[in-house]
Amino acid sequence: MLMENNIFYLVPVASLIALGFAYYFFKQMMAESEGTDIMRKIALHVRKGAMAYLKQQYKVVTMVFVVLALIFAIMAYFNLQNAWVPFAFLTGGFFSGLAGFFGMKTATYASARTAYAAQESLNKGLKVAFRSGAVMGLTVVGLALLDISVWYLILDYFVDGAEHNKLIYITTTMLTFGMGASTQALFARVGGGIYTKAADVGADLVGKVEAGIPEDDPRNPATIADNVGDNVGDVAGMGADLYESYAGSILATAALGASAFLANETMQLKAVFAPMIIAAVGVVLSIIGIFMVKTKEGAKMKDLLGSLGLGVNVSSALIAVSTFVILWALGIQNWIGISFSVIVGLIAGIIIGQATEYYTSQSYSPTKKVAESSQTGPATVIISGLGLGMISTAIPVVTIAFAIVLAFMAAQFDVQTMTYTANLSLGLYGIGIAAVGMLSTLGITLATDAYGPIADNAGGNAEMSGLPKEVRQRTDALDALGNTTAATGKGFAIGSAALTALALLASYIEEIKIALERIAHSSADGLARVGTQLLSVEQIKIASFNDFMEYYNVTLMNPIVLVGIFIGAMMAFVFCGLTMNAVGRAAQSMVAEVRRQFREIVGIMEGKAEPDYARCVAISTKGAQREMLFPSILAIVVPVITGVILGVAGVLGLLIGGLSTGFVLAVFMANAGGAWDNAKKYIEEGNFGGKGSDNHKATVVGDTVGDPFKDTSGPSLNILIKLMSMVAIVMAGLTVAISLF
């Protein structure tokens, strides 16, 4: 197995390459001019506000992590979990937070530089913004692969394979740092989403609608808080979100590979390494795609989308070809079929991204129709956007359904016996590696997402700095592109979350098996209760996935499973309700403050007095920190309570219900919100009366409703469905030891 062990070192090498290029792009961006004194001053305000918020958020999250790590340590002490878990959990959270921090730091330095570069040309502005976004993308994949490779080497050295299957033990242990990443990501998404949308609602409703002043006007007290929010929500939060998706898909697939090839030690190792190697090669190919992104002066929206699409599509095509070479070189069983599973994931990601672009870009008819509905007021704008969001769920759902079936079948090429015990594990491995394929080019796809907030802030800086009209036109074009790419990125994140969560669902059974082995080893008679039976360690080891479904009576006719499904579906809606209301409460405080300043500070509207920006930043910070705790903790607590009361069958129902409902709801909210936002942008381009018209005000109201849809509740659902799976995996030992049913 010398060759396989040597190939593994491609993973840490790729991580260092990614981090090296991230540093290169960061230094390249910092070498650009930050512009005039006022441009630097505005950027400094945003940077200080963003860092102050992040510092406060990390204080709260650190306390939560310490408590959870202590709980895991106590579980390990009572033999309900292995001793590595608390440490793996902490490192996952740390690296997820670190990725968000680096990405946001870059974004806050890049916005003014993008605005200044746009004075030279549209292409120069695009280059600065996009390569700054690439810092986020490459940092995420670099840190994730570094964390994975270091943990594998540590566990490979210390874990003794005499007591249990070594690779299964290693991969299931590594899965637990995914919970750390998911927990950090949820706090980042929810807190950042509440922050940015509270500020955005205040800025839009009072500034645009009531006062009639342009977006990002320096007279608006909430405009700095709005720009800060773009960074803490759409950069730091989004980076942490995709970090845990990326790491989770690799680790879940590795765990499934260890299980699928249990009878063949050599092939088992190859199956564990395969998703890591594919991800490593994807890093290099993403960098190639990043260098291909450029445009021309006067480019239209479709031209700009084509520029970004060229980089993404070339990277995707190259990884598709490379996958066959990688799996052939590894000599993995059925390498052709498993390669096609990867291709299925790639194609599914592209289809979901294109569908999202179609439904949310102002270049296409759905969003234009939302804009057209503004002629009859804000109510019809909201109705039209809701209808569009609901209809838009069809393509992603059908795509994921086909992807699951095709990836499953491709991995084992046997339709007639695809659900048989021997083929089931291999098919599930195919689904997992499809998720890896979808995320293999995350370095560049995340760059297209992180680019959006940078372009948005650049437009704000240009407006507040009083730059020439043509500069603002270029930044508006970049901002509109960013809105579409952000929506596309959210669609991509949702699709990958569905496949990753399904892989984690299968990994949960492996963790149940290990927990039962642990209980049997420590019991006086050497037996563990599995559903209605008592099994020995050897019987547990050889039990298949189908056996455990039978032991725990996991069928749709079991009322315990049905109850779990209903609770999972409910969780998606309750979570969205909590986060929407949180945005509403924080926004109310912001609206009241902006109105107060307009009323009490003499000379704001004439530009003779400076608003109290810091007060608005403080309101968003306080509101986000207060409101993010309950929804985030609820997502952790519910799977634990469900496991203790309903047992394994109830937890599996919970995860299925949360996955199916959460996926559809997330697509609906992201696309409806994106359409409302770009309908407003379409009118601001001069259509249906342009800026300041009644039609424009109607779409501003629609955009205000859509803001928490697309930037708070919707993207947080991605993390919710994965976090509940991660919590279930980590708490598997408690579930099998203590449950009422």
Side-chain angles (χ1 to χ4, degrees):
M1 293 190 289
L2 181 62
M3 186 196 72
E4 288 80 10
N5 287 324
N6 288 336
I7 287 177
F8 170 77
Y9 287 98
L10 287 174
V11 182
V13 169
S15 75
L16 295 176
I17 291 173
L19 295 173
F21 271 96
Y23 182 72
Y24 168 74
F25 288 137
F26 176 78
K27 296 298 291 185
Q28 196 178 54
M29 176 271 295
M30 292 296 290
E32 298 289 337
S33 173
E34 201 170 14
T36 63
D37 288 342
I38 189 168
M39 291 175 74
R40 290 195 294 272
K41 180 183 177 183
I42 292 165
L44 183 62
H45 276 305
V46 174
R47 188 156 51 249
K48 283 184 174 178
M51 291 303 172
Y53 169 79
L54 208 60
K55 183 179 178 181
Q56 187 60 35
Q57 177 180 278
Y58 285 167
K59 285 181 180 177
V60 175
V61 174
T62 298
M63 290 188 287
V64 174
F65 266 73
V66 169
V67 172
L68 289 174
L70 287 172
I71 292 172
F72 298 150
I74 293 169
M75 288 176 63
Y77 179 79
F78 287 104
N79 204 34
L80 296 174
Q81 190 52 269
N82 76 66
W84 293 102
V85 167
F87 306 102
F89 169 75
L90 290 173
T91 63
F94 174 77
F95 278 108
S96 176
L98 193 64
F101 171 80
F102 284 140
M104 195 188 73
K105 184 176 180 178
T106 303
T108 56
Y109 277 108
S111 57
R113 289 171 167 83
T114 299
Y116 191 77
Q119 292 190 113
E120 180 178 326
S121 69
L122 182 64
N123 183 56
K124 184 67 177 295
L126 175 64
K127 182 179 176 181
V128 173
F130 182 72
R131 293 195 177 181
S132 299
V135 175
M136 173 87 266
L138 294 175
T139 300
V140 165
V141 298
L143 290 177
L145 291 179
L146 183 64
D147 198 10
I148 289 170
S149 53
V150 169
W151 264 109
Y152 177 82
L153 292 171
I154 291 172
L155 292 170
D156 183 54
Y157 182 81
F158 285 103
V159 171
D160 181 12
E163 187 175 324
H164 34 242
N165 187 278
K166 186 174 181 177
L167 281 175
I168 288 181
Y169 187 86
I170 289 174
T171 53
T172 51
T173 300
M174 289 170 67
L175 266 177
T176 60
F177 81 64
M179 182 184 167
S182 295
T183 304
Q184 165 60 35
L186 190 63
F187 276 100
R189 265 298 193 188
V190 173
I194 294 170
Y195 185 111
T196 184
K197 294 306 110 181
D200 208 0
V201 169
D204 283 355
L205 282 184
V206 186
K208 287 185 183 179
V209 178
E210 295 180 9
I213 59 179
E215 186 172 7
D216 298 314
D217 193 298
R219 294 171 293 177
N220 194 326
T223 191
I224 294 294
D226 187 13
N227 281 275
V228 170
D230 289 337
N231 290 286
V232 300
D234 295 335
V235 179
M238 177 263 302
D241 176 1
L242 285 168
Y243 177 96
E244 61 93 24
S245 282
Y246 185 72
S249 67
I250 296 170
L251 293 171
T253 305
L256 290 172
S259 175
F261 296 94
L262 185 60
N264 187 333
E265 187 177 338
T266 302
M267 200 60 64
Q268 187 186 37
L269 186 64
K270 293 175 179 180
V272 168
F273 285 169
M276 302 179 189
I277 304 300
I278 291 170
V281 173
V283 167
V284 178
L285 300 179
S286 291
I287 294 169
I288 293 172
I290 289 167
F291 280 102
M292 297 181 69
V293 175
K294 56 185 178 181
T295 191
K296 59 184 179 181
E297 194 61 35
K300 303 297 183 183
M301 178 59 66
K302 286 188 176 180
D303 299 321
L304 291 169
L305 285 169
S307 298
L308 294 187
L310 177 65
V312 174
N313 293 335
V314 168
S315 296
S316 299
L318 290 173
I319 193 64
V321 175
S322 300
T323 296
F324 287 90
V325 178
I326 293 166
L327 296 181
W328 170 79
L330 276 173
I332 196 168
Q333 179 183 319
N334 190 22
W335 62 272
I336 295 177
I338 295 172
S339 296
F340 275 112
S341 293
V342 175
I343 306 302
V344 165
L346 273 168
I347 294 173
I350 292 170
I351 292 173
I352 291 172
Q354 291 298 309
T356 305
E357 180 185 321
Y358 173 73
Y359 281 109
T360 60
S361 173
Q362 64 263 46
S363 301
Y364 301 100
S365 59
T367 295
K368 289 180 180 179
K369 288 180 180 178
V370 175
E372 185 180 351
S373 69
S374 66
Q375 298 176 97
T376 49
T380 47
V381 170
I382 293 169
I383 292 170
S384 180
L386 288 172
L388 179 151
M390 292 176 182
I391 292 169
S392 73
T393 62
I395 294 175
V397 169
V398 172
T399 299
I400 287 295
F402 271 103
I404 290 169
V405 175
L406 291 175
F408 191 103
M409 290 170 56
Q412 32 100 354
F413 277 153
D414 193 345
V415 179
Q416 297 299 319
T417 62
M418 60 188 283
T419 59
Y420 288 13
T421 297
N423 289 336
L424 186 61
S425 296
L426 190 57
L428 292 171
Y429 180 72
I431 293 172
I433 210 161
V436 174
M438 187 179 286
L439 291 166
S440 58
T441 54
L442 186 64
I444 185 170
T445 52
L446 184 50
T448 64
D449 202 340
Y451 150 86
I454 295 171
D456 191 0
N457 270 216
N461 195 298
E463 180 72 35
M464 287 184 278
S465 304
L467 295 183
K469 184 179 178 181
E470 64 269 17
V471 178
R472 181 68 209 214
Q473 287 174 341
R474 289 168 183 162
T475 58
D476 280 350
L478 295 175
D479 183 21
L481 174 65
N483 282 332
T484 300
T485 59
T488 303
K490 288 182 177 71
F492 187 81
I494 294 165
S496 65
L499 289 179
T500 301
L502 192 60
L504 290 171
L505 191 64
S507 297
Y508 175 64
I509 298 299
E510 289 303 320
E511 191 63 38
I512 290 292
K513 182 185 290 189
I514 291 173
L516 287 168
E517 286 182 36
R518 194 180 297 114
I519 291 172
H521 272 298
S522 60
S523 67
D525 55 4
L527 300 175
R529 180 171 292 280
V530 185
T532 57
Q533 300 187 46
L534 290 172
L535 300 179
S536 67
V537 173
E538 289 304 315
Q539 287 175 307
I540 295 169
K541 283 184 177 180
I542 64 173
S544 67
F545 188 94
N546 284 344
D547 289 333
F548 279 97
M549 296 296 102
E550 185 178 338
Y551 294 151
Y552 289 107
N553 192 24
V554 183
T555 70
L556 289 177
M557 294 298 100
N558 184 352
I560 300 298
V561 176
L562 289 173
V563 169
I565 290 173
F566 277 116
I567 295 172
M570 174 205 70
M571 273 294 296
F573 282 92
V574 169
F575 184 82
C576 285
L578 290 170
T579 51
M580 291 281 288
N581 285 336
V583 170
R585 286 190 292 269
Q588 285 175 350
S589 300
M590 184 65 70
V591 167
E593 175 59 22
V594 175
R595 285 172 176 170
R596 184 195 68 78
Q597 291 198 33
F598 278 146
R599 186 174 61 250
E600 297 179 6
I601 301 178
V602 180
I604 280 187
M605 294 304 294
E606 294 78 22
K608 297 178 181 178
E610 185 174 271
D612 187 355
Y613 300 123
R615 175 63 181 159
C616 291
V617 170
I619 287 173
S620 269
T621 300
K622 185 179 179 181
Q625 297 299 321
R626 182 179 64 250
E627 299 284 1
M628 73 178 183
L629 274 172
F630 182 67
S632 301
I633 291 174
L634 187 69
I636 298 171
V637 170
V638 168
V640 179
I641 295 175
T642 302
V644 170
I645 297 175
L646 300 179
V648 172
V651 171
L652 285 168
L654 171 80
L655 300 181
I656 293 167
L659 169 59
S660 55
T661 306
F663 172 62
V664 179
L665 188 58
V667 173
F668 156 67
M669 299 187 85
N671 288 350
W676 278 319
D677 193 351
N678 282 330
K680 177 195 70 176
K681 288 284 192 297
Y682 184 67
I683 289 181
E684 289 175 347
E685 291 172 357
N687 302 289
F688 300 113
K691 289 184 179 180
S693 65
D694 288 341
N695 294 343
H696 182 228
K697 291 179 179 179
T699 55
V700 170
V701 174
D703 180 36
T704 304
V705 175
D707 276 338
F709 268 52
K710 68 181 174 67
D711 291 328
T712 307
S713 300
S716 296
L717 281 170
N718 309 338
I719 309 166
L720 175 72
I721 61 180
K722 288 173 291 185
L723 179 58
M724 290 199 300
S725 299
M726 287 294 185
V727 172
I729 288 170
V730 174
M731 293 295 180
L734 182 67
T735 302
V736 297
I738 306 169
S739 65
L740 295 179
F741 294 95

